[in-house]
Amino acid sequence: MKLSYEEARAELVATVERLEAGGATLEESLKLWERGEKLADLCQSHLEGARERLQARTEPDAADED
């Protein structure tokens, strides 16, 4: 299941909070870090997709410039 931007961001925030709270073993911390990296990449991908969609709607087509 692919997470929406909002779901990925919420899980990323929770993951960071767990890491910052401490108390996890080294192995648990590494797994949290890796999950956080994947979530951050997913959020970035969602944002880039949204940016591309906005640009496609707001920038004039190259053909219109002639």
Side-chain angles (χ1 to χ4, degrees):
M1 177 178 111
K2 186 167 180 170
L3 298 174
S4 69
Y5 171 79
E6 291 79 8
E7 292 167 330
R9 185 180 179 284
E11 188 177 336
L12 178 58
V13 168
T15 300
V16 170
E17 288 173 350
R18 288 177 61 196
L19 279 168
E20 288 177 343
T25 66
L26 177 59
E27 188 63 30
E28 291 168 336
S29 295
L30 287 172
K31 286 182 181 180
L32 287 169
W33 181 269
E34 290 168 349
R35 180 63 179 160
E37 288 286 321
K38 289 179 183 176
L39 291 166
D41 289 344
L42 180 57
C43 287
Q44 186 63 36
S45 176
H46 278 296
L47 291 173
E48 287 171 2
R51 184 177 302 117
E52 289 170 5
R53 288 174 58 196
L54 286 171
Q55 285 177 342
R57 292 179 180 264
T58 59
E59 292 181 355
D61 292 335
D64 291 343
E65 293 177 5
D66 292 335

